Amino acid sequence: MSEITQESLESKFVNHFEALESRINGASALPFHKVRKEALESFKSLGLPGVKNEEYKYTPIQKVLTKNFDLQGANATDGVSDQFVNDAFIPDLKTNTLVFINGILSDEYSNIISENLIIKSFKEALEENAEDVAEYLAKYADYKEDAFVALNTALAEHGSFIKIADKQIVEEPIALYFINDTSANEVHIQPRNLFVAGKNSQATFMEIYKTAGDKPSFINIVSEIVVNENAHIDFFKIQNNKDSAYQVGTTQVWQDRSSYFSAYTFTLNGALVRNNLNITVDAEGCESHMYGLYLLNGNTHVDNHTAVDHRKPNCFSNELYKGILEDQSHGVFNGKVYVRQEAQKTNAFQSNKNILLSNDAVINTKPQLEIWADDVKCSHGCTTGQLDEEALFYLQSRGVGKERARVLLLYAFAAEVLESVKIEPLKKYLEGLISERLHKDF
């Protein structure tokens, strides 16, 4: 496939918008379509970010898109096998399950078992939940500043709307499986999700990504999460995809008074993965946690960008990201914590730790604090190094073989993040993935 130019690539996305307009017919009269048009103009103005863009300087997303995609076709699929879909599910975990095949919600594979929540496709929500759409959709993910959010907003057609009423506790996690079928053609999709947690509600969301087929896939996904007063939300993202899978994902979170939000991001494979996790702490008494673990090999490139915006006083945020990189893999961590002048009594902690297992593996890490308040407790730090030779020697001196000692130390390094997972079947599933990656077969 010949490489296309940046201008041609952007023009094709604009053409996709024109095709969307002709496809949705009467839905173009809905109020959200005006937002789509505004977002398209933002995308035209911003353009796809290149290496001169500070936020994308280590992640050549523009280059890989022009090299690997022609953006033709309509994401056609002959349907993935039942076996492939079933194998993608997390074993022994009862969930409210939503399966998206090439971005489109599949009624055949989806299954809702909880009664106390509203789940609709994105298209249904635009028509049937106009009040919620007007109040929440595209109000937090800023399509005027980020080209990929703008692109997603302009082309948003499929995805999900999930609402939990006040005082409702959803016992079973809500798992969204995004399965791409690239057996015949490349796939490029723009899923859009809106999750709204009512006051005093509680729920767990999961996003899991899989690909069937060897042709390239590109997902540009945006999930907006509204955590209202005293709500408790856990959010998991599990990325163990193919070497031909490219992904840009934005998770935009807004927290109200005394709410709790935890994000867990596990990245084990993919061609290029860019994760944007942005949390706005917009009322007093909030608690926010961000955990990330990336185990990279081959030529995998993973870029984690996080931002916590403390706007109000008496809140707490904690961040821990850890990475193990080998072969020619490339990791990027860019974490920002903003503490505004009004956000007195804020406690904010940020840590990024990395182990490099080869001379060719690369990590670019940049933890940042920007503090305008004077009565706060904030700290940040990062470490990058090789495996602890003294610990390795100690284990060998106690009769543990060198390779086994090496794996034990790496697993112990990763386990600090894994221990934060409280759902046992999910924790066991993740332990299996990590053990497989580390060849911990003893």
Side-chain angles (χ1 to χ4, degrees):
M1 184 175 63
S2 60
E3 186 171 335
I4 61 177
T5 66
Q6 176 191 349
E7 291 75 17
S8 174
L9 186 71
E10 292 172 356
S11 295
K12 289 188 177 183
F13 280 126
V14 174
N15 292 339
H16 289 181
F17 179 82
E18 293 168 355
L20 169 70
E21 277 198 310
S22 62
R23 190 166 57 242
I24 60 177
N25 294 320
S28 62
L30 295 172
F32 182 69
H33 197 63
K34 181 182 177 183
V35 179
R36 282 194 182 109
K37 290 182 175 180
E38 292 176 356
L40 181 68
E41 293 306 312
S42 292
F43 175 71
K44 290 178 180 176
S45 175
L46 293 166
L48 289 169
V51 292
K52 293 183 178 179
N53 184 314
E54 181 66 21
E55 299 299 317
Y56 286 85
K57 64 187 294 185
Y58 297 117
T59 299
I61 185 75
Q62 181 192 92
K63 182 178 179 181
V64 298
L65 287 177
T66 56
K67 183 178 180 181
N68 294 285
F69 293 87
D70 61 19
L71 299 180
Q72 302 293 340
N75 296 326
T77 174
D78 294 329
V80 293
S81 69
D82 294 347
Q83 184 67 45
F84 186 87
V85 175
N86 290 329
D87 287 346
F89 294 158
I90 298 172
D92 304 319
L93 180 63
K94 288 179 62 179
T95 64
N96 296 286
T97 303
L98 285 79
V99 176
F100 298 82
I101 306 295
N102 287 4
I104 299 175
L105 183 62
S106 166
D107 292 332
E108 179 184 358
Y109 293 115
S110 299
N111 182 34
I112 308 304
I113 58 177
S114 299
E115 296 179 350
N116 49 352
L117 74 166
I118 298 171
I119 295 182
K120 295 183 179 180
S121 70
F122 182 78
K123 188 181 294 185
E124 289 173 335
L126 290 183
E127 297 174 354
E128 300 170 7
N129 296 78
E131 189 174 333
D132 289 314
V133 168
E135 184 172 0
Y136 300 117
L137 186 61
K139 302 301 182 187
Y140 306 102
D142 191 352
Y143 58 81
K144 295 180 180 176
E145 296 292 333
D146 187 290
F148 287 102
V149 173
L151 185 62
N152 177 282
T153 305
L155 299 179
E157 186 178 6
H158 301 287
S160 66
F161 168 69
I162 302 174
K163 184 176 183 179
I164 303 157
D166 294 349
K167 302 179 182 178
Q168 294 296 323
I169 297 176
V170 182
E171 298 287 351
E172 294 81 12
I174 303 161
L176 290 78
Y177 292 88
F178 294 92
I179 297 175
N180 285 337
D181 175 16
T182 63
S183 303
N185 296 297
E186 67 176 38
V187 169
H188 38 86
I189 59 174
Q190 313 272 344
R192 184 66 177 236
N193 299 310
L194 173 60
F195 307 148
V196 180
K199 295 179 180 178
N200 301 295
S201 66
Q202 183 173 343
T204 298
F205 295 94
M206 300 176 180
E207 291 179 358
I208 301 105
Y209 302 89
K210 291 286 184 181
T211 298
D214 295 324
K215 295 187 181 299
S217 65
F218 173 59
I219 302 178
N220 176 29
I221 183 170
V222 174
S223 298
E224 290 179 289
I225 305 175
V226 181
V227 191
N228 281 304
E229 183 176 340
N230 207 35
H232 183 124
I233 295 298
D234 292 307
F235 174 81
F236 291 85
K237 179 178 281 190
I238 303 171
Q239 300 162 314
N240 187 25
N241 217 329
K242 284 203 165 186
D243 293 337
S244 54
Y246 299 81
Q247 180 177 350
V248 177
T250 299
T251 304
Q252 192 77 36
V253 184
W254 179 83
Q255 287 189 249
D256 203 349
R257 180 182 292 272
S258 300
S259 62
Y260 175 100
F261 177 80
S262 283
Y264 307 81
T265 304
F266 293 90
T267 309
L268 290 94
N269 205 22
L272 181 148
V273 179
R274 166 66 178 242
N275 293 317
N276 300 314
L277 172 60
N278 306 315
I279 301 176
T280 300
V281 184
D282 209 10
E284 291 192 55
C286 294
E287 186 172 337
S288 315
H289 296 269
M290 292 165 287
Y291 300 100
L293 178 65
Y294 40 97
L295 307 182
L296 311 182
N297 61 6
N299 292 303
T300 298
H301 180 113
V302 174
D303 182 349
N304 285 298
H305 264 56
T306 66
V308 185
D309 185 1
H310 284 277
R311 297 183 175 181
K312 296 296 166 57
N314 298 306
C315 294
F316 172 85
S317 69
N318 178 55
E319 180 172 21
L320 174 63
Y321 271 67
K322 303 186 82 169
I324 299 173
L325 299 89
E326 58 184 327
D327 301 331
Q328 294 81 39
S329 61
H330 189 169
V332 181
F333 173 81
N334 189 319
K336 299 175 183 173
V337 177
Y338 302 96
V339 183
R340 303 198 185 201
Q341 190 169 13
E342 188 180 347
Q344 302 292 344
K345 305 291 184 184
T346 291
N347 289 341
F349 306 100
Q350 183 187 64
S351 176
N352 175 231
K353 300 176 181 177
N354 302 284
I355 292 178
L356 300 179
L357 297 178
S358 74
N359 293 331
D360 295 327
V362 175
I363 179 73
N364 299 103
T365 177
K366 187 179 180 183
Q368 302 175 73
L369 293 176
E370 294 189 21
I371 302 172
W372 290 277
D374 53 16
D375 187 10
V376 301
K377 289 182 180 177
C378 298
S379 68
H380 67 164
C382 72
T383 60
T384 299
Q386 298 175 328
L387 205 56
D388 187 337
E389 290 294 335
E390 289 189 10
L392 192 62
F393 175 78
Y394 175 81
L395 288 175
Q396 288 181 269
S397 69
R398 294 296 183 273
V400 181
K402 184 176 182 179
E403 183 56 26
R404 186 173 184 177
R406 173 182 174 276
V407 171
L408 280 174
L409 291 174
L410 292 174
Y411 188 82
F413 178 82
E416 187 180 1
V417 176
L418 196 58
E419 285 172 358
S420 61
V421 179
K422 305 303 180 189
I423 303 172
E424 281 304 320
L426 175 60
K427 187 175 183 178
K428 184 177 179 181
Y429 172 73
L430 291 168
E431 283 176 343
L433 294 179
I434 294 168
S435 296
E436 184 179 2
R437 169 56 56 82
L438 298 178
H439 308 292
K440 180 176 172 290
D441 51 356
F442 47 82

